[in-house]
Amino acid sequence: GLKEGETIKGTLMCEKAGKAVDPSGFRRFYMRMDSRGGKSGASGEKIWIDLAPHPLSVLVAFAGPGRVKPGTERCQVQDSRVDANFTYVRDAGGEVEATIETVNVPDGPLSRCFGIDGVVVQYEGRNDEAGVYAAYLKLGDAELKATDFMQASISRFVEAVRGNAGPASSLCSGLTTLALQLGLRQVSRA
């Protein structure tokens, strides 16, 4: 996602909007991700399969490795959306109350946002004034332009293959994200 300088600008953006956050000690996480659902339109459980890795990986990136606290998980599957709520227990200590919404929106505007402790940032991809596709994060009147998240991921992968950088995420993070996705999917079937 954000490069080091962009992360610093993101923190300043939050401070400017009067919404300081502490990524190391947050207690609540929220993310909503809307999508068109592909050519045929995803429904029900397919929405979770398609979209859940994104918000779950953001949670793991912010909170670090961890697991779902048994008995706290709720996952409701509907035709056009899947909502999940659970308590995430960090391996490093502490708990995060997580709410994730994945929604298929065939028409109209998409809502994409994430939040820590009630500070919710909207994000979208669009072309800048030079025609380059970029990510834009918005909080109140403050807006931050960053490298498109997919472009940043691909660039990091290429640099890792060339031996110029490490991978963007660890095997542990990937396994944690997958375990969360599959575990919450299983709860929705119970």
Side-chain angles (χ1 to χ4, degrees):
L2 297 176
K3 296 177 185 173
E4 184 176 338
E6 292 169 340
T7 302
I8 292 168
K9 287 192 289 186
T11 303
L12 293 174
M13 179 180 77
C14 289
E15 288 175 8
K16 179 180 174 184
K19 308 272 187 176
V21 294
D22 177 11
S24 64
F26 69 97
R27 308 259 312 133
R28 290 179 295 136
F29 173 83
Y30 169 77
M31 188 159 174
R32 177 177 171 137
M33 185 167 194
D34 289 0
S35 175
R36 297 281 181 233
K39 291 181 182 179
S40 59
S43 63
E45 196 175 68
K46 290 179 183 178
I47 296 168
W48 186 252
I49 292 167
D50 183 40
L51 297 178
H54 303 287
L56 290 170
S57 66
V58 172
L59 170 63
V60 172
F62 279 128
R67 65 195 180 292
V68 172
K69 183 176 185 176
T72 66
E73 59 273 71
R74 306 283 181 272
C75 190
Q76 184 178 16
V77 177
Q78 300 173 32
D79 285 343
S80 63
R81 67 183 295 142
V82 178
D83 297 328
N85 301 86
F86 55 95
T87 301
Y88 184 76
V89 180
R90 296 175 173 181
D91 288 351
E95 296 182 349
V96 177
E97 298 303 318
T99 300
I100 295 174
E101 301 170 352
T102 55
V103 185
N104 179 19
V105 179
D107 299 306
L110 298 175
S111 176
R112 293 184 174 165
C113 58
F114 62 92
I116 293 177
D117 287 340
V119 178
V120 179
V121 175
Q122 304 292 323
Y123 68 95
E124 69 174 332
R126 66 176 190 263
N127 292 340
D128 66 11
E129 56 282 342
V132 176
Y133 195 76
Y136 289 86
L137 290 90
K138 186 171 183 164
L139 178 61
D141 292 334
E143 185 173 72
L144 170 66
K145 175 185 168 188
T147 305
D148 171 59
F149 302 145
M150 184 60 75
Q151 177 63 40
S153 179
I154 291 169
S155 295
R156 181 67 180 256
F157 175 77
V158 169
E159 290 303 309
V161 169
R162 291 180 176 161
N164 299 328
S169 66
S170 68
L171 178 59
C172 179
S173 294
L175 288 173
T176 299
T177 299
L178 182 60
L180 291 170
Q181 181 184 20
L182 295 176
L184 289 162
R185 179 177 175 221
Q186 190 64 32
V187 167
S188 73
R189 293 178 168 186

